[in-house]
């Protein structure tokens, strides 16, 4: 039998079950990237099994099957997460329980449990992503669950799902204004407001330490780290250095901040006055940063005044890194002002500068010999001349910038300078700083992001994880700390233009490029502009923006209590307006006649035209003659409608008749 014909002839129970399983599958689909593999397989098998039982009208499995599957679910959750508590373990169990509950879907009561489990599971998708794509998918899921819920309240006959979907759509449209008012006015209590995240699940493009090879793994990550909107012209590409962690302690393998164990405290420990002075015109901008579970603010070098971060304390370390009082687990927007020309650090070789010349013994012996050679060639020992000599070696020594430098061994600087002569930015920066320290020149590694891609649609500069970068800073007498980017010497295109090392395009991207070289880029820019609008206006609607709204409405010193009173006033006004409209509607239209008119309209759609003056009893005779036994329920309802208006003791109230009409199946 044709599958479409078979579905059309399924009993209503089988049809409704298949529709509900389809909706559940759609709700669970975005979770597949977050669930353990066993859970995804379990949910898929259970949903297919339940659908097969519905199509073949076979009995549901017994209680012991459910108990066994429940034990498997609990054991799998414990094995995957080592706990039954927390976000990840909780979502795993909720998704599995939703699927298992479909195996005991026998009565309307069971269906309602599945509906509300489905609504809860739908909300848990926002624990992992609040993007525009996920929101759109969950809107479809909401309409699907509402359709199934409405359909479950229509137990008589076999009403088409289209009618239930129309009712669900009307319900969603009627509820949209209420949701909009709650979104705008419901008080947000920072930092309690927002989607919670597990402590160690956030991933950042940067880390508080650097082992040679870690940043290279980010070169294929095209996800967005943050967006920047400049108030004036965008600075030159060569000036777009966004500062992150500064790494100064080296053990031969890993780079870490000085006082790394104390960097988790707030405010961070100080190693002295940063002695920062900006020159030239300031650059004002706004950053919208994606969650990274790190307490770092990415700012354009260098920021002399604390960025404006709503609801958080801000502090600067002595090496110019800005940090906040807690990890960033939600989308964050902040304003900052930078000076691309600046001076930083002591002018004389005092204080903690000896810490920046230390190297572990026994590592990189050939680099130490190279440092001795450069010192002999520059007998006066001028630090600037030594720096220029090292850069000249990088420029003329056949060194290359590559995404696949291979696995480095114990002596990473030696391998870069003498063996491989190829590397990514952290290979180059690390080897350069080791060489500087070997010549007693204070130096350190700075990590962050360099460059970005302007989006022509919304005007934002998009900085991706693939823009993650590492460069060096050296200390020079009378100048302080000076940025030196050895990668820019090896590959000027890395910092002097928007060129990046990228992965080869896939089959779909290659096909699109062959048809229209700019189509994929334009579509990507348009989507990112839409997603950025969602981030700016929806996800970043904070308590401060709520209070600014009240200021615009005339409140002098708005507070959350003013928001609550405003929300209560709007709710009361809407309720009064709805009551007034309902009262006016009853005066203008007879509810009894409206019910009769709805029947005439539905019969007209079924091919039976009925005159406006035809009474209910005559309509009952017409439908019985035209449709026979299929219209028996409708004919009885019409007689009850007539009795409601003309009988001494009405058989039913108008409200009851209205509910029965919604459940009636009209003939075709």
């Amino acid at each position: 039998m044709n599958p479409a014909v078979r579905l059309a002839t399924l009993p209503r129970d089988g049809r409704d079950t298949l529709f509900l399983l389809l909706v559940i599958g759609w709700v669970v689909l975005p979770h597949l990237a977050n669930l353990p593999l066993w859970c995804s397989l379990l949910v898929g098998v259970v949903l297919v099994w339940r659908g097969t039982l519905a199509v073949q009208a076979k009995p549901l499995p017994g209680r012991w099957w459910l108990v066994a599957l429940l034990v498997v679910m609990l054991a799998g959750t414990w094995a995957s997460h080592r706990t039954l508590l927390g976000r990840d373990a909780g979502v795993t169990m909720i998704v599995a329980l939703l699927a298992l509950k479909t195996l005991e879907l026998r009565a309307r009561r069971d269906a309602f449990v599945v509906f509300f489990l489905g609504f809860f599971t739908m909300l848990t998708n926002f624990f992992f992503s609040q993007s525009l794509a996920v929101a759109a998918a969950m809107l479809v899921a909401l309409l699907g669950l509402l359709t199934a819920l409405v359909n479950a309240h229509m137990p008589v006959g076999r009403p088409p799902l289209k009618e239930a979907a129309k009712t669900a759509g009307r319900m969603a449209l009627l509820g949209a204004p209420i949701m909009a008012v709650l979104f705008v006015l419901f008080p947000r209590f920072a930092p309690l407001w927002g989607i919670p995240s597990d402590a160690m699940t956030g991933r950042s493009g940067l880390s508080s330490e650097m082992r040679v090879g870690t940043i290279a793994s980010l070169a294929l990550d095209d996800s967005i780290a943050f967006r920047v909107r400049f108030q004036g012209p965008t600075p030159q590409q060569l000036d777009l250095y966004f500062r992150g962690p500064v790494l100064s302690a080296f053990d031969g393998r890993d780079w870490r901040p000085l006082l790394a164990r104390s960097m988790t405290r707030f405010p961070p420990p100080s190693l002295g006055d940063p002695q920062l002075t900006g020159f030239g015109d300031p650059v004002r901008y706004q950053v919208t940063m994606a969650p990274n579970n790190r307490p770092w603010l990415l700012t354009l070098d260098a920021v002399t005044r604390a960025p404006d971060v709503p609801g958080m304390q801000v502090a600067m370390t002595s090496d110019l890194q800005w940090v906040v009082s807690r990890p960033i687990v939600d989308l964050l927007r902040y304003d900052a002002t930078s000076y691309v020309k600046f001076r930083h650090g002591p002018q004389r070789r005092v204080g903690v500068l000896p810490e920046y010349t230390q190297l572990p013994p026994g590592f990189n012996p050939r680099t130490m010999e190279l440092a001795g050679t450069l010192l002999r060639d520059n007998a006066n020992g001028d630090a600037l001349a030594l720096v220029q000599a090292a850069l000249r070696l990088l420029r003329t020594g056949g060194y290359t910038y590559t995404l696949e430098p291979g696995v480095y061994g114990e002596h990473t600087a030696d391998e870069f300078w003498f063996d491989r002569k190829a590397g990514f930015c952290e290979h180059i920066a690390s080897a350069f700083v080791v060489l500087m320290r070997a010549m007693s020149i204070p130096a350190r590694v700075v990590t962050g992001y360099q460059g970005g891609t302007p989006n022509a649609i919304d005007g934002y500069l998009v900085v991706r994880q693939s823009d993650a970068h590492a460069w060096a800073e050296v200390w020079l007498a009378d100048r302080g700390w000076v940025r030196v980017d050895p990668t820019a010497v090896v590959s000027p295109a890395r910092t002097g233009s928007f060129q990046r090392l990228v992965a080869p395009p896939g089959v779909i991207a290659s096909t699109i490029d062959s048809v229209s070289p700019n189509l994929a880029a334009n579509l990507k820019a348009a989507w990112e502009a839409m997603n950025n609008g969602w981030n700016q206006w929806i996800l970043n609607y904070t308590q401060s923006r709520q209070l600014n709204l009240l200021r615009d409405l005339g409140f002098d010193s708005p507070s959350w209590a003013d928001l609550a009173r405003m929300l209560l006033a709007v709710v009361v006004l809407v309720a009064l307006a709805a009551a007034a409209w309902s009262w006016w509607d009853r005066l203008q239209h007879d509810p009894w006649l409206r019910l009769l008119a709805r029947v005439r309209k539905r019969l007209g759609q079924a091919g039976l035209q009925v005159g406006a003056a035809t009474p209910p009893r005559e309509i009952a005779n017409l439908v019985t003659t035209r449709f026979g036994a299929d219209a028996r329920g409708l004919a009885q309802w019409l007689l009850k409608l007539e009795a409601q208006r003309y009988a001494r003791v009405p058989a039913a109230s108008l409200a009851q008749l209205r509910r029965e009409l919604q459940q009636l199946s009209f003939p075709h």
Side-chain angles (χ1 to χ4, degrees):
M1 183 184 296
N2 187 300
V5 175
R6 185 173 184 180
L7 286 175
T9 57
L10 274 178
R12 178 182 171 180
D13 181 65
R15 182 206 66 177
D16 293 351
T17 300
L18 288 180
F19 177 75
L20 181 57
L21 294 175
L22 180 65
V23 173
I24 292 173
W26 181 261
V27 170
V28 173
L29 185 62
H31 270 311
L32 295 184
N34 309 310
L35 294 174
L37 179 61
W38 67 265
C39 184
S40 301
L41 293 175
L42 175 66
V43 171
V45 169
V46 168
L47 293 182
V48 171
W49 183 19
R50 184 62 180 89
T52 303
L53 295 177
V55 171
Q56 298 177 356
K58 291 185 176 180
L60 297 180
R63 183 179 301 275
W64 289 111
W65 267 106
L66 296 177
V67 171
L69 290 173
L70 182 62
V71 171
V72 169
M73 182 270 292
L74 292 173
T77 302
W78 180 264
S80 298
H81 305 290
R82 295 301 174 186
T83 181
L84 298 181
L85 304 176
R87 182 194 66 179
D88 292 346
V91 170
T92 299
M93 289 193 293
I94 282 293
V95 171
L97 288 173
L98 174 61
L100 294 180
K101 185 61 182 176
T102 63
L103 293 177
E104 54 177 9
L105 193 60
R106 294 181 172 87
R108 290 181 66 195
R109 179 185 59 186
D110 299 319
F112 292 148
V113 173
V114 172
F115 295 149
F116 293 115
L117 272 176
F119 283 120
F120 186 80
T121 305
M122 180 186 72
L123 291 177
T124 61
N125 280 284
F126 295 109
F127 288 172
F128 300 95
S129 173
Q130 302 168 54
S131 68
L132 180 59
V134 170
M138 292 305 100
L139 177 60
V140 175
L142 173 67
L143 294 175
L145 287 171
L146 284 177
T147 299
L149 184 59
V150 170
N151 186 63
H153 283 83
M154 304 168 67
V156 179
R158 197 176 190 273
L161 289 174
K162 184 191 300 184
E163 294 299 323
K166 287 181 180 179
T167 303
R170 286 194 296 269
M171 291 171 60
L173 287 176
L174 290 173
I178 300 174
M179 290 189 295
V181 170
L182 290 174
F183 173 80
V184 172
L185 295 178
F186 195 87
R188 285 155 167 74
F189 301 101
L192 299 178
W193 184 269
I195 299 298
S197 298
D198 280 3
M200 299 305 296
T201 56
R203 296 192 306 118
S204 170
L206 299 174
S207 174
S208 57
E209 61 182 51
M210 183 184 81
R211 174 172 293 185
V212 174
T214 56
I215 295 183
S217 65
L218 295 171
L220 300 180
D221 186 355
D222 202 35
S223 60
I224 294 175
F226 56 95
R227 293 179 171 91
V228 186
R229 188 180 187 91
F230 293 96
Q231 290 188 12
T234 301
Q236 296 181 12
Q237 178 79 358
L238 288 170
D239 294 327
L240 293 176
Y241 283 84
F242 296 91
R243 195 179 194 90
V246 179
L247 313 176
S248 305
F250 184 52
D251 62 5
R253 294 290 295 176
D254 299 325
W255 286 93
R256 296 183 178 87
L258 289 177
L259 306 177
R261 293 183 178 179
S262 302
M263 292 300 290
T264 56
R265 299 203 309 261
F266 186 89
S270 175
L271 294 175
D273 184 4
Q275 302 182 37
L276 174 62
T277 305
F279 303 100
D281 296 330
V283 179
R284 294 180 174 85
Y285 55 96
Q286 185 179 79
V287 178
T288 305
M289 190 159 65
N292 56 27
N293 209 33
R294 307 286 187 179
W296 307 330
L297 296 182
L298 281 304
T299 57
L300 183 68
D301 258 352
V303 175
T304 59
R305 296 173 56 187
D308 182 14
V309 184
M312 291 189 183
Q313 295 177 285
V314 183
M316 184 176 69
T317 65
S318 54
D319 48 22
L320 304 190
Q321 183 189 4
W322 287 95
V323 296
V324 290
S325 51
R326 62 177 183 274
I328 298 169
V329 296
D330 294 303
L331 195 77
L332 179 66
R333 185 166 66 177
Y334 53 92
D335 297 308
T337 301
S338 296
Y339 292 86
V340 296
K341 296 180 180 180
F342 60 94
R343 185 175 61 203
H344 157 51
Q347 305 301 297
R348 296 185 179 183
R349 194 161 181 156
V350 294
V352 298
L353 286 179
E355 302 286 342
Y356 297 99
T357 59
Q358 294 180 358
L359 287 172
F363 285 89
N364 303 300
R366 288 183 290 173
T367 301
M368 305 299 288
E369 294 178 4
L370 174 62
T373 301
L374 292 177
L375 285 170
R376 287 191 296 271
D377 293 342
N378 295 269
N380 60 1
D382 179 64
L384 180 58
L386 292 171
V387 171
Q388 292 174 343
L391 294 177
R392 186 164 53 250
L393 177 60
L394 284 172
R395 189 180 298 110
T396 60
Y399 297 93
T400 57
Y401 175 62
T402 177
L403 189 64
E404 299 176 349
V407 179
Y408 274 56
E410 181 181 10
H411 303 292
T412 56
D414 282 359
E415 289 193 40
F416 175 78
W417 286 114
F418 300 101
D419 301 329
R420 300 178 186 271
K421 293 190 174 185
F424 199 64
C425 58
E426 82 268 22
H427 302 89
I428 304 171
S430 176
F432 182 83
V433 171
V434 169
L435 180 60
M436 291 296 103
R437 291 188 174 192
M439 296 187 291
S440 297
I441 299 175
R444 61 195 185 190
V445 175
V446 183
T447 61
Y449 295 85
Q450 200 284 322
T453 306
N455 189 312
I457 296 178
D458 59 10
Y460 280 79
L461 180 75
V462 179
V463 182
R464 305 179 185 279
Q465 301 293 7
S466 55
D467 294 315
H469 193 49
W471 59 94
E473 284 183 342
V474 299
W475 182 87
L476 301 176
D478 299 323
R479 295 182 62 182
W481 289 104
V482 177
R483 181 196 303 141
V484 179
D485 192 346
T487 303
V489 177
V490 175
S491 177
R494 171 60 180 84
T495 57
S497 68
F498 292 112
Q499 180 179 342
R500 294 288 187 271
L501 295 177
V502 296
V507 176
I508 296 177
S510 300
T511 304
I512 294 176
D513 288 342
S514 64
V515 176
S516 175
N518 297 323
L519 179 59
N522 292 337
L523 290 175
K524 184 177 182 179
W527 169 251
E528 289 181 348
M530 290 174 56
N531 208 48
N532 183 43
W534 169 263
N535 292 341
Q536 298 294 334
W537 294 103
I538 304 300
L539 299 187
N540 204 248
Y541 186 71
T542 59
Q543 185 185 56
S544 61
R545 295 182 68 181
Q546 282 186 312
L547 298 180
N548 289 336
L549 174 63
L550 292 188
R551 288 190 186 95
D552 294 338
L553 294 176
F555 288 82
D556 293 330
S557 300
S559 64
W560 68 267
D562 295 323
L563 279 171
R565 284 192 288 268
M566 189 78 173
L567 177 61
L568 181 61
V570 171
V571 170
V572 170
L573 287 175
V574 170
L576 291 176
W581 180 85
S582 177
W583 177 73
W584 176 86
D585 187 58
R586 287 180 178 274
L587 291 179
Q588 298 297 317
H589 304 282
D590 187 337
W592 190 87
L593 292 176
R594 282 208 307 269
L595 286 177
L596 193 59
R598 286 174 59 183
V599 172
R600 288 199 301 269
K601 181 180 178 182
R602 296 284 297 276
L603 289 175
Q605 294 172 351
L608 178 60
Q609 300 299 326
V610 179
T614 308
R617 184 173 294 274
E618 186 174 342
I619 297 176
N621 293 333
L622 289 174
V623 297
T624 302
T625 304
R626 175 70 177 271
F627 301 109
D630 292 340
R632 183 177 302 164
L634 177 59
Q636 292 176 352
W637 183 88
L638 286 165
L639 295 177
K640 290 168 67 176
L641 180 67
E642 182 184 63
Q644 200 283 331
R645 170 60 62 93
Y646 300 110
R648 287 179 175 271
V649 181
S653 66
L654 282 175
Q656 181 179 349
L657 289 171
R658 189 179 298 110
R659 289 193 297 269
E660 292 179 1
L661 179 60
Q662 292 175 347
Q663 299 168 4
L664 280 177
S665 178
F666 277 69
H668 298 284

